[in-house]
Amino acid sequence: MAITSTLITAAITGTALDRPEGRGWAFTTTTVVLRPGSDGPGTDSAVGIRERSDVRGPHDRLTRLMITIDRVSKTKSRTQILHDVTFEARPGRVTGFLGPNGAGKTSTLRILLGLDRPQSGTALICGRPYGKLDRPLTTVGALLDGSGAHRARTARAHLRWVAASNGLPDSRADEVLEVVGLTGDARKRAGRFSLGMSRRLGLATALLGDPEVLVLDEPVNGLDPVGIRWMRNFLRDSAAQGRTVLLSSHLMGELAEIADDVIVIDKGRVVIQGRLADVTGDHHTLEDAFFALTATEADRPW
């Protein structure tokens, strides 16, 4: 495929390319694959082109692929659980969403993914509410609690069923099973999966549509050290390819390893947001900053 000339280097990892049939984005990608029985993740490098015929430049792309939460408020059982929550997650960056249990992280993500409604405010993915996205799996992949699979379904059957709901080919099921290291468990029923395997199946589901946006709630929960390392590499690689990655976590050390930007929420309010270094500030670690910002007792047993 001929590429005639390079136009501009974007603000994210990637280059806008002038092509006869329209604009595209070229990336040197490293595909991280966790293979069953291996001692660690393996990598395969390749140059890929993401077609973007509607992209007019890097700033348009940044706007189109952002997550935007604007003044979202939510009341449940007469208790306000979210207070004017406002933040953005940008392409080419991993944005960490950090807060104590019950701070409002999952409630915010549920509103973003159309699973709940706010009393006020907007939550947009690529400029649109989740419910108005065409074939949403091709725009955003999400991982919340569990894998979403029926206990009696095999991993492959579950993925094929979800793929069909978005007009995706059956072949995507085996492709994403390989990516997350579950090829050898394709015929195993979801009810027999360990917690870590369920998380990987949930991630495989999120990846079916090769989405530009990833929204992940506690993605390393239940993973062993090899799985955590694989997830860290995968998320960094996804951002390097220009994807928008938003993940919530309470594991501050792990988040500090991969996040470019951090949002801290406490008692339903965003208390600080910005680049990792800015949020950490004068504190020695992100964990120290977190306890200072949220007034959480560091030595509390639970």
Side-chain angles (χ1 to χ4, degrees), residues 256-267:
E257 290 282 335
I258 58 176
D260 299 296
D261 305 310
V262 176
I263 302 147
V264 178
I265 187 171
D266 187 33
K267 300 180 178 67

Side-chain angles (χ1 to χ4, degrees), residues 64-265:
R64 288 170 181 269
L65 301 183
M66 288 174 69
I67 291 173
T68 307
I69 308 289
D70 185 25
R71 293 172 293 179
V72 167
S73 294
K74 173 69 177 177
T75 300
K76 184 178 292 185
S77 300
R78 299 184 179 179
T79 300
Q80 190 163 357
I81 59 174
L82 296 175
H83 304 260
D84 290 330
V85 173
T86 299
F87 65 84
E88 294 176 340
R90 293 176 288 162
R93 302 178 72 80
V94 176
T95 300
F97 194 27
L98 184 62
N101 289 337
K105 301 187 301 296
T106 300
S107 295
T108 302
L109 297 186
R110 286 180 60 83
I111 289 171
L112 177 64
L113 297 170
L115 299 173
D116 205 349
R117 293 184 178 181
Q119 262 65 47
S120 60
T122 58
L124 306 178
I125 301 170
C126 304
R128 304 175 69 183
Y130 183 89
K132 293 188 177 180
L133 294 173
D134 298 325
R135 300 172 67 206
L137 276 183
T138 62
T139 300
V140 56
L143 172 63
L144 298 181
D145 291 337
S147 66
H150 191 284
R151 291 178 56 85
R153 275 206 178 106
T154 66
R156 180 182 285 127
H158 166 70
L159 292 169
R160 286 180 174 177
W161 177 76
V162 176
S165 73
N166 275 245
L168 301 171
D170 284 352
S171 59
R172 282 297 293 160
D174 287 327
E175 290 170 4
V176 295
L177 283 170
E178 181 179 2
V179 169
V180 302
L182 289 178
T183 298
D185 298 293
R187 296 182 179 181
K188 182 179 288 187
R189 298 186 187 279
R192 297 175 56 198
F193 276 20
S194 66
L195 177 58
M197 292 171 68
S198 292
R199 297 303 279 173
R200 284 196 273 163
L201 179 57
L203 180 61
T205 307
L207 297 176
L208 277 169
D210 190 22
E212 295 280 9
V213 177
L214 292 174
V215 178
L216 312 175
D217 190 13
E218 304 286 356
V220 301
N221 187 29
L223 297 182
D224 61 17
V226 172
I228 291 173
R229 182 186 179 197
W230 175 86
M231 182 67 76
R232 184 190 306 143
N233 291 338
F234 171 79
L235 294 175
R236 291 303 317 160
D237 180 57
S238 293
Q241 293 180 45
R243 289 186 174 92
T244 300
V245 180
L246 173 63
L247 67 126
S248 73
S249 180
H250 64 276
L251 299 176
M252 287 166 278
E254 185 61 34
L255 197 63
E257 290 282 335
I258 58 176
D260 299 296
D261 305 310
V262 176
I263 302 147
V264 178
I265 187 171

